[in-house]
Amino acid sequence: MTANGFYEEIIIAGFGGQGIMLTGRLLAQTAMEAGKEVTYMPSYGAEVRGGTANCMVVLANEPIACPVVGRPDSLIVMNKASLNKFAPRLKTGGLLIMNSSLIDTEPQLDDSIEIITVPADELAVELGSPKSANMVALGAYLQKRGHLTPDAAAQALPDVLAKRYHKTLPVNAEALRRGAEFAKACCTSRAKKQ
Amino acid sequence: MSERVLMCGNEALAEAAIIAGCDAYFGYPITPQNEIPAYMSRRMPEEGRVFVQSESELAAISMVFGASATGKRTMTSSSSPGISLMQEGISYLAGAELPAVVVNVMRGGPGLGNIGPSQCDYFQATRGGGHGDYRTIVFGPSSVQELVDCMPLAFDLADQYRMTVVVLADGILGQMMEPIVLEKKPGRELPPKDWALTGAKGREQNIVRSLWLPEGSLEKHNNKLQAKYEQVQKNEVLCEQYEVDDAEIVVVAYGVAARVVRAAVNKARENRIKAGWIRPITLWPFPTEQISKAADEFRIFLTVEMSNGQMVEDVKLAVAGKAPVLLHGRPGGGVPTVDEILDKIKQLSIPTKS
Amino acid sequence: METVFTRTPTFKDCPTHYCPGCGHGIAHRLIAETIDELDIRDRTIGIAPVGCAVLAYDYLDVDMIEVAHGRAPAVATGMKRTNPDKIIFSYQGDGDLAAIGTAEIIHAAHRGEQITVIFINNAVFGMTGGQMAPTTVLGQITATTPQGREAAGEGFPLQVSELLALLPGAIYVERCALSGAAGIRKTKKAIKHAFELQVGGAQGFSLVELLSPCPVYWRMTPAESMEWIEKEMTKVFPLGRLKG
Ligand code: SF4
C-alpha cells in the first residue's frame, strides 16, 4: 500500500495445464480495461519445465515499480507444491486462495493471513467444465478483494482466450461467478476454527 | 490505433519494429527473447517482409549485414550469450558504416549464466562490444511502452548516422506484459542511402568495406567515425530526472532497476528524505553533462544496477571526483526491491560525523 | 590480325595484386565475362571473402561488399531474401568456405538460398602465408604441416562440394579446374550455368568449385602447378557435375 492507497501484488501458481498463465493474463486484462496500472510477469524458460507454472500480477493506481513479486499481498495456489513454495512468502495480512480439491493439508501460516479454501475442481466439475477450476479460484479472489468484479473479468475473457476456445466463454463466466459466490458464502477456514 | 493493449515486451518491440518499417528480421532462438522470432515469423510474412531463422547468431548478424548493405531496414535480436557471438558482425557493421538495430534481452552471465533478468552487458553494449575503435548507440528503456517508443527512433538513428543501435532490455522487460499504445508517428528526415548496393545501374560501382590498407587510410576512416560519434554525443542524449534540485542523495539507474528506484525515492520523500533520481535513457551517449551538473552541488550519488557495477563507472567519470559515488548492485538475476533501495537511501541520509 | 583476347567491361583494366600464375585472376575474368554476357551488371551484387581475393571489388566492376571471414553465404542470404530481383554471388576461398564458414555454407545450401557461390579451392591458405587448409591433400607440405599433412591428427582433405551436393536445397554443384585451355573453357560454362540458374529464378543453391593454382605456396612454377592440379588434386577432388 502506498499513499495512493492501492498497490496489490499477486502470485498465481499451479501445474501446467491448469490455466495458470491464462488466469493471470485475465486478471491483468480486466484491470487494464478498468483503467488501472498493471503488470503481468510469467515464469519462463527452464523455470516452466517440470510442469510447474506461476505468474505474477501487480495492480495499482500509480506506475508500478517492479513486475517481479517477492512478497505477494495475495496468493492463488492450485496445487500443493505451489502452496509449499509460495505460502511462506505471503505478506502479513495477506490473502490465500487455496484449491482444496488438490490440497489436503492446512498450511501453517501466521494468523494475520486470511485463508479461503475453494474446492475449485469440484465446483468446476459441477458446472460441467473441469478445466474451469482456475476461473472458480479467480472468481473467489475477485470477490474477496473487491477491486474488480467477476463480471468485468467475464467481459475481458474474450480478449485473452484464443478464438478457438470462445465456445467456453459462457461456462467460464459462470465459473467466475460460482467462485465469487462460494467466497461470499464461505467463512475462512481460520474463522471456522474460532 | 491508440487504444491500450496488453502486450509482453518482446512481442511489443517486434510489432513496433514492423510499424517502424523494418524490412527484414534475422535471428536465432535464445531465452528470454524467443517471443521475438516467433512473433516475427508470423507477422513479417503477413506484411510481405522477410523473416529468416538463421543457423547461429554469427549468421543472423551477417544476414543483417547483407540486408543493410542493400539499403533495407533490418534487425536482429538475441540475449547475452548470443549477443557475444554477434560482436563480430557488429564490429563489421561499424567499420562498413551500415545501419542496424540489435535488441539484447539481457540474461545473467558470465557463460551460460541463467535466464534471469540482468543488466550485466552494459559494458559490452556501451563500449562497442567487438574489436576495433567504435561505438554503438544504446537505449536502456524501462517500460514496455518505452521499449515500443524507442524502436522507431532506433531505426531512424541507425539510418541517420549509419550505425548500429542496440536496444538493451532484460528478461523482465521482454517477458512482462504492460498496457501499451502502438502508434505510427512521423519519423526523422533521413539522408538518401546512395551508398547502398542496389546493382550499379547508371552509376559507378558501390563498395561496402571495412578494410583500409593504404597507409594512413584507416586512421582517416577512424577519425571520420569519431567525428560522427561526437555528433551523436552532442545531439542524441536522452535522460530523465526527478527532484534532483534539492536532493541530498541522487540515485542513478536505468531500465527495470530505474522503476524500482522511482518507487523507492517516492517512499524516501514520504519519509522526508531529500532524494531524487536520474535515469539515463540512452546509455551511450551517456548523460554525462546532466550528471556532472548535478554533482556541482555536493550530494551523494547512488547507482543501482542489476550487475556488480558497470554503469557506475560512467557515473564516476561524469561526477569526476566532485561527489561520492556508491553502488548497489544485484548480479546474476537478482532484482533489487523497493525496500532494499529505500534502506540504502536511509543509511546514506543519516548524518555522519566527518 | 585476329583479336584473341578482348577485355570484358566488367573486368577492370588494372593490374591485379595476385602472384604470377595465380588462379584468382582467371576466375575473376570468367565471372566478369559471364556478367557481361548475361547483361546483369546493373543488378548484380558480389561478395568478396577474407583471403587473397579480399580486394576482388578492385577488379570486378559491380556493386560489391567485403564481409567477415566465412560469413559470405549468410550475407548473401540477407541480400537475396530482401532483393529477390538481384543476382547475388559470393566468391570464397577454401579457408573461408571450407574452414571458418562451414556452418554458413551448409545452411545456405540447406535452405536452398537462390545464390551463386564460386568456391576457389587451392588447397592452402594463401593470404596468411600458406598454412594448411581443410582441402590440403595428404602429404602436402604447408606452413603448418611441415612434415606433410597426415590423416591422423590433421584429417583427410575435406570434400565440401560432395557434402553440399547431398543437400536437397542445392540444385547445382560442379567441380572444375583452372588448368589448361580446355579446363578454363569448362569452368566458364559451369560459372555461366550457375548464374543462369539464378537469373532464371531456379529454386535453389548453386556452387562451382574451382581447383585453382597457388604456385607460391605450392612451391612450384606456374606450369608445374597446372600439372599438379591435373595429376594430384583431381585424384582427391574429382572433376565433374556433382549435382544438377
Ligand atoms: S598466395 Fe596463392 S592464392 Fe594468393 S595470390 Fe598468391 S598465388 Fe594466388
Side-chain angles (χ1 to χ4, degrees):
Chain A
M1 289 282 200
T2 64
N4 275 344
F6 178 64
Y7 200 98
E8 159 96 345
E9 298 179 279
I10 307 124
I11 293 180
I12 305 170
F15 55 74
Q18 282 185 309
I20 299 300
M21 302 307 192
L22 180 76
T23 311
R25 284 203 51 194
L26 177 59
L27 177 56
Q29 182 76 25
T30 310
M32 181 185 78
E33 290 177 12
K36 296 202 182 311
E37 295 290 335
V38 58
T39 62
Y40 160 89
M41 182 79 198
S43 53
Y44 60 91
E47 229 180 287
V48 294
R49 311 271 187 277
T52 69
N54 71 76
C55 64
M56 298 160 173
V57 179
V58 184
L59 312 175
N61 286 335
E62 62 186 278
I64 290 162
C66 187
V68 177
V69 176
R71 305 204 55 206
D73 299 286
S74 300
L75 174 63
I76 304 173
V77 285
M78 297 301 287
N79 69 350
K80 204 166 157 181
S82 300
L83 175 75
N84 294 341
K85 182 171 178 192
F86 292 107
R89 301 190 195 173
L90 266 165
K91 267 185 208 157
T92 309
L95 169 68
L96 171 65
I97 307 282
M98 191 171 103
N99 176 16
S100 58
S101 304
L102 295 179
I103 304 170
D104 51 11
T105 49
E106 180 96 348
Q108 298 303 308
L109 293 171
D110 113 48
D111 278 353
S112 73
I113 287 166
E114 185 177 7
I115 304 175
I116 307 289
T117 57
V118 189
D121 284 271
E122 273 109 318
L123 293 177
V125 169
E126 274 173 28
L127 291 170
S129 176
K131 289 224 151 208
S132 300
N134 57 340
M135 293 296 133
V136 173
L138 181 63
Y141 164 81
L142 293 173
Q143 174 64 34
K144 275 326 273 191
R145 276 303 191 218
H147 46 63
L148 298 164
T149 65
D151 283 342
Q155 265 164 36
L157 196 53
D159 296 325
V160 296
L161 201 63
K163 281 246 158 51
R164 62 182 184 280
Y165 297 122
H166 275 200
K167 57 182 182 300
T168 68
L169 287 171
V171 72
N172 278 318
E174 193 48 41
L176 282 161
R177 274 190 289 275
R178 187 73 192 84
E181 278 161 25
F182 183 89
K184 206 191 284 181
C186 93
C187 329
T188 69
S189 58
R190 207 165 299 254
K192 247 186 275 169
K193 269 191 280 174
Q194 282 163 357
Chain B
M1 273 287 264
S2 58
E3 73 182 285
R4 292 210 308 171
V5 289
L6 197 62
M7 268 179 113
C8 77
N10 286 334
E11 293 192 351
L13 77 88
E15 186 59 39
I18 290 170
I19 293 172
C22 176
D23 296 302
Y25 171 93
F26 306 97
Y28 183 85
I30 181 171
T31 310
Q33 61 85 58
N34 294 319
E35 293 77 12
I36 304 173
Y39 189 85
M40 287 302 204
S41 70
R42 179 170 62 80
R43 285 286 288 123
M44 292 298 265
E46 272 175 17
E47 296 286 324
R49 306 189 205 172
V50 173
F51 166 86
V52 179
Q53 178 171 331
S54 63
E55 63 271 30
S56 70
E57 288 88 349
L58 280 166
I61 196 75
S62 298
M63 291 174 188
V64 165
F65 190 80
S68 175
T70 68
K72 304 291 182 186
R73 280 201 155 175
T74 175
M75 71 174 287
T76 184
S77 65
S78 188
S79 178
S80 310
I83 297 289
S84 292
L85 282 172
M86 288 185 185
Q87 293 306 329
E88 175 191 81
I90 296 173
S91 170
Y92 279 74
L93 285 162
E97 293 194 88
L98 292 178
V101 173
V102 175
V103 176
N104 180 0
V105 184
M106 289 182 282
R107 54 188 264 177
L112 211 44
N114 65 16
I115 57 167
S118 180
Q119 298 184 324
C120 58
D121 301 341
Y122 178 92
F123 280 151
Q124 187 191 50
T126 59
R127 267 61 180 169
H131 64 282
D133 206 350
Y134 73 94
R135 293 286 186 175
T136 57
I137 297 171
V138 185
F139 283 101
S142 74
S143 68
V144 177
Q145 184 67 58
E146 200 171 45
L147 189 55
V148 161
D149 293 341
C150 79
M151 290 308 289
L153 185 54
F155 279 104
D156 276 2
L157 290 176
D159 282 346
Q160 181 176 342
Y161 294 101
R162 296 176 59 183
M163 284 177 71
T164 295
V165 179
V166 176
V167 176
L168 207 54
D170 65 69
I172 291 178
L173 220 43
Q175 294 292 324
M176 76 186 287
M177 285 184 158
E178 261 184 321
I180 53 157
V181 177
L182 280 162
E183 271 176 318
K184 184 166 175 67
K185 293 181 191 137
R188 291 193 181 193
E189 193 123 349
L190 296 167
K193 295 184 170 179
D194 49 11
W195 45 265
L197 307 182
T198 55
K201 190 172 193 169
R203 58 159 169 78
E204 290 194 352
Q205 74 173 152
N206 278 343
I207 298 170
V208 172
R209 67 195 295 178
S210 63
L211 180 72
W212 300 91
L213 287 177
E215 200 183 325
S217 62
L218 182 58
E219 187 169 7
K220 210 170 130 205
H221 179 63
N222 267 288
N223 286 335
K224 178 185 165 212
L225 295 181
Q226 190 52 38
K228 177 167 85 175
Y229 300 153
E230 276 161 19
Q231 283 302 307
V232 175
Q233 242 160 337
K234 210 172 101 199
N235 300 323
E236 308 299 349
V237 173
L238 288 175
C239 163
E240 192 185 16
Q241 44 184 303
Y242 174 77
E243 304 271 22
V244 170
D245 283 351
D246 71 334
E248 288 161 4
I249 299 161
V250 172
V251 190
V252 187
Y254 72 97
V256 161
R259 304 167 64 111
V260 187
V261 163
R262 183 179 55 205
V265 165
N266 285 345
K267 280 196 177 177
R269 285 274 169 183
E270 283 165 25
N271 285 297
R272 296 175 194 288
I273 298 169
K274 287 185 174 169
W277 50 256
I278 296 179
R279 179 173 77 88
I281 299 170
T282 51
L283 306 178
W284 195 91
F286 192 71
T288 306
E289 249 172 63
Q290 288 83 341
I291 291 173
S292 171
K293 197 160 155 261
D296 282 341
E297 279 177 54
F298 185 84
R299 356 183 108 101
I300 296 172
F301 286 79
L302 172 67
T303 303
V304 176
E305 290 182 70
M306 283 146 65
S307 77
N308 265 338
Q310 301 191 10
M311 183 180 71
V312 67
E313 295 193 2
D314 283 337
V315 176
K316 282 182 180 166
L317 284 170
V319 167
K322 290 184 280 190
V325 178
L326 293 113
L327 166 74
H328 181 69
R330 290 290 307 273
V335 182
T337 65
V338 174
D339 289 341
E340 185 178 312
I341 298 169
L342 183 61
D343 280 352
K344 200 85 192 176
I345 294 172
K346 280 181 180 167
Q347 280 168 26
L348 295 173
S349 71
I350 295 167
T352 47
K353 277 183 239 153
S354 56
Chain C
M1 205 177 103
E2 190 196 6
T3 313
V4 290
F5 176 77
T6 49
R7 197 182 54 83
T8 190
T10 293
F11 195 42
K12 290 193 203 173
D13 190 11
C14 63
T16 73
H17 71 288
Y18 299 117
C19 314
C22 174
H24 279 307
I26 311 168
H28 288 2
R29 200 189 74 218
L30 299 179
I31 292 168
E33 281 176 9
T34 300
I35 289 169
D36 289 332
E37 285 165 21
L38 297 176
D39 194 19
I40 52 171
R41 178 188 171 269
D42 61 3
R43 59 186 180 114
T44 295
I45 306 172
I47 304 175
V50 169
C52 285
V54 66
L55 298 174
Y57 44 74
D58 281 350
Y59 315 123
L60 292 171
D61 190 23
V62 291
D63 273 9
M64 284 199 77
I65 190 168
E66 153 222 289
V67 305
H69 200 22
R71 314 289 173 238
V75 175
T77 301
M79 289 179 158
K80 186 70 182 184
R81 293 292 188 106
T82 50
N83 299 273
D85 56 323
K86 299 286 186 298
I87 304 303
I88 312 291
F89 78 92
S90 79
Y91 185 98
Q92 302 178 255
D94 43 39
D96 201 80
L97 184 143
I100 198 164
T102 39
E104 284 77 11
I105 195 68
I106 285 179
H107 285 277
H110 169 63
R111 288 189 302 265
E113 298 297 343
Q114 295 171 40
I115 58 170
T116 301
V117 176
I118 308 300
F119 168 33
I120 305 292
N121 177 3
N122 57 17
V124 79
F125 278 52
M127 195 204 213
T128 46
Q131 296 87 349
M132 180 184 73
T135 51
T136 293
V137 304
L138 292 183
Q140 187 181 337
I141 290 171
T142 71
T144 50
T145 53
Q147 311 299 326
R149 183 180 194 168
E150 275 186 64
E154 285 149 359
F156 289 92
L158 188 62
Q159 293 157 313
V160 190
S161 293
E162 277 80 353
L163 275 174
L164 294 173
L166 292 173
L167 303 173
I171 51 169
Y172 173 57
V173 180
E174 176 151 3
R175 184 183 287 124
C176 305
L178 287 175
S179 64
I184 290 169
R185 261 198 306 277
K186 268 194 188 148
T187 303
K188 170 70 188 297
K189 253 180 91 185
I191 291 175
K192 196 163 175 183
H193 182 60
F195 273 87
E196 276 168 347
L197 283 170
Q198 194 182 162
V199 171
Q203 303 291 307
F205 169 95
S206 58
L207 176 140
V208 182
E209 174 178 344
L210 310 182
L211 304 184
S212 175
C214 175
V216 172
Y217 290 113
W218 292 357
R219 301 147 214 255
M220 293 176 199
T221 65
E224 286 165 354
S225 300
M226 295 296 171
E227 213 181 294
W228 194 74
I229 289 178
E230 280 160 25
K231 287 224 172 97
E232 298 301 323
M233 264 188 107
T234 52
K235 272 196 232 154
V236 190
F237 302 108
L239 303 182
R241 241 180 226 220
L242 296 159
K243 182 86 172 269

